[in-house]
Amino acid sequence: MQQFEKGETIRLEDGRSAIVDSFLGEGAQGAVYAVSVDGQRKALKWFRKQPSERFLKNIRKNIKDGSPSPTFLWPEALAKVRTGGIGYLMPLKPDGCYEFTKFRMAKVRFSSFRAIIEAAMNLCDAFRLLHANGLSYQDLNDGGFFINPNTGDVRICDCDNVYPHGENSGILGKARYMAPEVVMGKTLPNSYTDRFSLTVILFMLFCVDHPFEGFNVIKHPCLTEAFEQRLFGKDICFIFNDEKDINRPVRGVHRNALTMWPLLPEELRGKFKEQFSDRIINSPQERMTEMQWVDVFISLRDHLMKCPHCGDETFVYGNQPCLNPRCRKPIQVTYVMEGAGRSIPLIKGNIIRFERTGVPSGVVIDKNDASGLLLIKNLTEKAWTVLTPSGKSLSLAPGGFMPVKQDLVISTIFKFKINK
Ligand SMILES: [Zn+2]
């Protein structure tokens, strides 16, 4: 229900005014408008029902403390109380970002694994910073964030339920995304339950389907609240649980999960199996931290490259075949670069990324002669120190080349050693 007309002015508590531009949409709690404040385009969320004083006090505190990460569409100012509700100002989501539910409905698709990995890292980074600030989100679900399918850029909305760890917003979260201990009424949402919801979303970024919706859910076409409580609480079972096959994805229904799961590297599948095992589900404090997830995604990114045979994106581990079903040729890896807990295959064309940001640091090329020797080009603006096995230290200028040779060590922010 649209409440404001174009051109209407809404006074803000910080003294500024928001001028309504257009109606953007509405959710369960209220509507969102595009507004302009001092010539800047922003969004205004307006609640239909007057929220509690505690809720407003919490938003005021979050406004004052500021956003932990630009990934959050964080409240910037409260509107002055007026009849017919209250609202708050927040950044507008950038063009090209779509609500994740659109990915679920197959209206939007990621353009590459690279974009999925980037989105996963962005989500983890945002939650790491949120939790590091002593806050929890409490209501992570598939409608709570926007993603750019080409770049993996993420924006998280509905930040009005962000409360300090241990305090509760009064909402439990959206069914199917809540941690089982919340579903079962054992605890209220906190940063550990956030981590469960985050893992559900991470699985969905890669597989699109829901990690706990398999045969068990299909069996009950009319899922009553009591059944939902059971299937997402006491009897929760991962669709790819190794020990129990009672909730496998169903052919023709969970097509995405069945298609995507076999394409994922074992190191990622193993983490999902572990995090969705009975043991970890029942030990919230042992759930993987956001930082540990980021390390997994950095490793995945290290192994994602263009197939030298067909040019398609594929994960390269050992001598595994290309993912492209029309190619399936084995990709031979002779040398890897090891350091900082990472192992980067050195095959022709691979772009090496030392830093978390993903900025290219180097590229592997071949020497273009009969030797078959591979070279690494320094794509950074700084010289690298290269240590030889005999103890010599050489400097590799920006744009310079070095050979891919056993036992050479590249020392930049991290040390990487070349091994067979
Ligand atoms: Zn290929």
Side-chain angles (χ1 to χ4, degrees):
M1 186 195 69
Q2 185 168 355
Q3 194 172 349
F4 298 119
E5 297 300 328
K6 185 176 165 69
E8 225 173 300
T9 299
I10 294 149
R11 307 254 303 275
L12 304 173
E13 280 191 349
D14 64 7
R16 296 181 296 168
S17 296
I19 300 160
V20 175
D21 184 29
S22 60
F23 175 71
L24 293 178
E26 63 186 328
Q29 303 165 297
V32 180
Y33 297 84
V35 297
S36 97
V37 178
D38 296 337
Q40 277 188 305
R41 279 172 56 73
K42 299 272 180 192
L44 182 84
K45 180 168 175 178
W46 198 262
F47 296 97
R48 241 173 264 118
K49 259 175 44 191
Q50 179 73 27
S52 69
E53 200 43 54
R54 178 172 173 263
F55 180 87
L56 294 177
K57 200 175 146 201
N58 181 60
I59 289 195
R60 272 192 203 101
K61 183 176 183 308
N62 286 344
I63 291 169
K64 188 169 149 275
D65 293 345
S67 177
S69 153
T71 301
F72 292 102
L73 298 176
W74 199 256
E76 292 178 4
L78 264 179
K80 278 197 168 169
V81 180
R82 56 191 277 170
T83 47
I86 191 162
Y88 67 84
L89 191 74
M90 60 181 171
L92 201 58
K93 87 173 167 63
D95 288 340
C97 286
Y98 299 91
E99 197 174 293
F100 187 59
T101 47
K102 293 227 165 81
F103 291 71
R104 289 272 282 151
M105 294 183 288
K107 290 189 176 155
V108 183
R109 275 175 206 279
F110 278 109
S111 64
S112 61
F113 272 117
R114 187 162 303 285
I116 304 179
I117 293 171
E118 196 54 41
M121 285 208 255
N122 285 331
L123 263 179
C124 291
D125 273 342
F127 277 89
R128 178 177 63 80
L129 291 166
L130 184 82
H131 293 156
N133 277 278
L135 300 167
S136 63
Y137 183 82
Q138 313 207 347
D139 187 22
L140 186 58
N141 64 69
D142 61 359
F145 56 97
F146 301 92
I147 306 178
N148 183 317
N150 299 314
T151 63
D153 196 14
V154 174
R155 289 294 182 279
I156 302 164
C157 61
D158 296 336
C159 297
D160 37 76
N161 291 314
V162 169
Y163 273 79
H165 177 88
E167 272 184 52
N168 185 250
S169 60
I171 58 147
L172 292 177
K174 188 168 165 184
R176 303 184 180 208
Y177 297 89
M178 288 189 255
E181 65 268 27
V182 178
V183 175
M184 290 187 279
K186 289 185 183 168
T187 180
L188 291 170
N190 56 47
S191 21
Y192 300 121
T193 67
D194 268 3
R195 282 187 184 146
F196 177 87
S197 308
L198 177 67
T199 309
V200 171
I201 297 291
L202 292 175
F203 178 87
M204 290 170 69
L205 288 180
F206 286 91
C207 291
V208 189
D209 285 325
H210 192 289
F212 300 104
E213 290 179 14
F215 182 64
N216 263 352
V217 176
I218 297 297
K219 264 196 311 202
H220 307 287
C222 184
L223 204 60
T224 61
E225 206 173 306
F227 270 126
E228 198 167 74
Q229 287 260 327
R230 219 188 72 200
L231 296 181
F232 293 91
K234 185 170 75 64
D235 292 347
I236 194 160
C237 178
F238 181 38
I239 54 175
F240 295 113
N241 186 313
D242 275 343
E243 273 97 56
K244 294 182 274 185
D245 62 359
I246 51 168
N247 194 25
R248 287 282 181 262
V250 177
R251 212 158 284 286
V253 182
H254 307 112
R255 288 185 200 94
N256 291 310
L258 288 166
T259 308
M260 296 305 288
W261 183 250
L263 302 182
L264 302 180
E266 186 47 42
E267 73 172 312
L268 181 63
R269 285 188 295 178
K271 289 294 177 204
F272 283 128
K273 284 193 228 171
E274 175 199 271
Q275 292 302 301
F276 291 144
S277 67
D278 290 350
R279 185 178 73 79
I280 299 288
I281 281 179
N282 294 322
S283 321
Q285 307 207 8
E286 286 182 43
R287 287 177 190 149
M288 258 168 83
T289 63
E290 294 77 19
M291 199 61 202
Q292 289 169 320
W293 273 118
V294 168
D295 285 343
V296 171
F297 297 127
I298 286 179
S299 174
L300 240 54
R301 192 176 68 186
D302 284 342
H303 290 87
L304 179 67
M305 47 200 82
K306 281 200 175 129
C307 166
H309 308 293
C310 69
D312 264 19
E313 238 188 347
T314 190
F315 290 105
V316 174
Y317 288 87
N319 293 326
Q320 277 176 21
C322 168
L323 285 181
N324 178 347
R326 288 179 302 279
C327 174
R328 296 299 290 166
K329 287 188 183 137
I331 299 165
Q332 208 197 337
V333 182
T334 308
Y335 290 98
V336 291
M337 192 186 245
E338 289 173 320
R342 295 159 65 185
S343 172
I344 307 172
L346 297 174
I347 64 163
K348 186 186 156 189
N350 190 26
I351 291 174
I352 298 159
R353 295 171 164 85
F354 290 140
E355 291 179 64
R356 149 71 189 93
T357 58
V359 179
S361 311
V363 62
V364 183
I365 56 165
D366 66 5
K367 208 180 163 201
N368 237 346
D369 61 14
S371 68
L373 190 70
L374 293 173
L375 302 172
I376 302 172
K377 183 178 183 181
N378 177 359
L379 295 180
T380 70
E381 287 169 2
K382 281 191 185 143
W384 295 349
T385 303
V386 180
L387 308 167
T388 70
S390 62
K392 260 193 269 176
S393 167
L394 309 164
S395 176
L396 184 70
F401 297 90
M402 61 175 278
V404 171
K405 255 172 89 177
Q406 172 80 36
D407 292 333
L408 284 183
V409 173
I410 302 173
S411 178
T412 57
I413 28 172
F414 307 108
K415 265 192 182 165
F416 285 97
K417 186 171 172 193
I418 297 176
N419 285 319
K420 276 208 177 181

